[in-house]
Amino acid sequence: MTKIILTDIEGTTSSLSFVKDVLFPYARAHLPEFVRGHRDDTEVKRLLADARAYAGGDLDEEALIERMIGWIDNDQKITPLKALQGLIWEDGYARGDFQGHVYEDAVEHLRQWRQQGLRLAVYSSGSVHAQKLLFGHTAFGDLNPLFEAYFDTRIGGKRDTASYKAIAKELGVEPREVLFLSDLRAELDAAAEAGMKTTALDRAGSGEDFGPHPVAQDFAGVGV
């Protein structure tokens, strides 16, 4: 019996184009000025130290900025960078520079599932802070009250089976009681290996090979 629906964001609840064509370029363009303007903030200072340690060298500020921009350009899932991006996006949302994109069918069914007593959680490579910002600033209002938990790469990589086992443990359920939704087979494979149920979202109708995973083109096609 499914007790929890665990959903990815990019390509699942939200469009890939919003993340790749709006959020990533915005963070890239504003990262230098954000770092220079907030370098003494406690959280930013800690994240910069973590990023510098990850880079493996004693980089000065300008070199570190260039390194992080390179990470953005290569879509590298580096935890301190993701957290910094979240802080930059927070400024953007607050200024009304953009609004979080969520598919209407996702909103409708997330609300229905919640009303039916299902628990909802999010697992994305974007930081938890960034996840909450996206769902908190949508055309449908603040969707954060629908979710009870958020997970990012601090719990592990999305293609690692251990991450899904850890998520189930933190949620207090058996993996078989969780349905994981994603648009990437490697993530679905890892979740299934951990014992979770899975459904692939193929919103573009690409016909991509999702192997043994059930496939839906939107949330209306997800069997719970």
Side-chain angles (χ1 to χ4, degrees), residues 179-222:
L179 171 61
F180 177 58
L181 311 179
S182 175
D183 66 324
L184 295 177
R185 179 172 176 177
E187 297 177 0
L188 295 163
D189 286 346
E193 189 174 336
M196 291 185 180
K197 290 176 275 191
T198 58
T199 296
L201 268 293
D202 185 17
R203 288 189 175 276
S206 64
E208 181 178 344
D209 179 14
F210 286 102
H213 307 287
V215 179
Q217 292 198 344
D218 57 29
F219 273 41
V222 174

Side-chain angles (χ1 to χ4, degrees), residues 67-102:
R67 182 68 59 87
M68 291 192 291
I69 287 176
W71 290 342
I72 293 173
D73 290 343
N74 290 293
D75 193 21
Q76 292 185 250
K77 315 296 187 184
I78 297 169
T79 300
L81 172 65
K82 291 293 184 181
L84 276 171
Q85 287 174 314
L87 296 176
I88 295 168
W89 293 330
E90 182 174 18
D91 282 353
Y93 283 115
R95 286 198 291 260
D97 290 345
F98 46 79
Q99 196 171 46
H101 175 269
V102 182

Side-chain angles (χ1 to χ4, degrees), residues 1 3 28 30 34 57-58 65 76 96-97 123 125-126 128 131 139 159 178-179 182 188 192-193 200 208:
M1 176 182 174
K3 293 183 177 179
R28 189 189 193 284
H30 290 80
F34 183 86
D58 188 20
I65 288 171
Q76 292 185 250
D97 290 345
Y123 182 28
S125 59
V128 166
Q131 295 171 30
R159 301 185 180 202
V178 181
L179 171 61
S182 175
L188 295 163
E193 189 174 336
E208 181 178 344

Side-chain angles (χ1 to χ4, degrees), residues 148-161:
E148 70 169 66
Y150 303 81
F151 301 94
D152 57 21
T153 53
R154 286 182 176 85
I155 203 158
K158 295 190 71 185
R159 301 185 180 202
D160 298 335
T161 299

Side-chain angles (χ1 to χ4, degrees), residues 20-191:
K20 295 188 182 301
D21 299 335
V22 178
L23 290 185
F24 281 2
Y26 189 91
R28 189 189 193 284
H30 290 80
L31 188 143
E33 67 182 81
F34 183 86
V35 169
R36 294 172 191 135
H38 297 271
R39 64 170 71 97
D40 294 325
D41 295 356
T42 301
E43 184 175 7
V44 174
K45 185 183 295 185
R46 175 180 60 80
L47 292 173
L48 292 175
D50 289 347
R52 187 174 281 110
Y54 184 91
D58 188 20
L59 302 178
D60 63 24
E61 183 173 273
E62 293 307 310
L64 182 59
I65 288 171
E66 288 304 312
R67 182 68 59 87
M68 291 192 291
I69 287 176
W71 290 342
I72 293 173
D73 290 343
N74 290 293
D75 193 21
Q76 292 185 250
K77 315 296 187 184
I78 297 169
T79 300
L81 172 65
K82 291 293 184 181
L84 276 171
Q85 287 174 314
L87 296 176
I88 295 168
W89 293 330
E90 182 174 18
D91 282 353
Y93 283 115
R95 286 198 291 260
D97 290 345
F98 46 79
Q99 196 171 46
H101 175 269
V102 182
Y103 288 109
E104 185 172 0
D105 63 88
V107 175
E108 177 184 351
H109 286 83
L110 287 168
R111 285 173 171 164
Q112 286 181 6
W113 293 333
R114 190 72 185 85
Q115 290 170 358
Q116 292 166 8
L118 289 165
R119 298 161 61 191
L120 305 177
V122 180
Y123 182 28
S124 174
S125 59
S127 69
V128 166
H129 184 57
Q131 295 171 30
K132 291 181 177 180
L133 287 170
L134 188 155
F135 286 116
H137 298 82
T138 80
F140 307 97
D142 182 2
L143 303 179
N144 282 310
L146 294 173
F147 303 104
E148 70 169 66
Y150 303 81
F151 301 94
D152 57 21
T153 53
R154 286 182 176 85
I155 203 158
K158 295 190 71 185
R159 301 185 180 202
D160 298 335
T161 299
S163 302
Y164 298 89
K165 291 180 179 179
I167 287 172
K169 183 176 181 180
E170 188 156 329
L171 291 172
V173 296
E174 295 297 321
R176 58 184 168 78
E177 296 174 312
V178 181
L179 171 61
F180 177 58
L181 311 179
S182 175
D183 66 324
L184 295 177
R185 179 172 176 177
E187 297 177 0
L188 295 163
D189 286 346

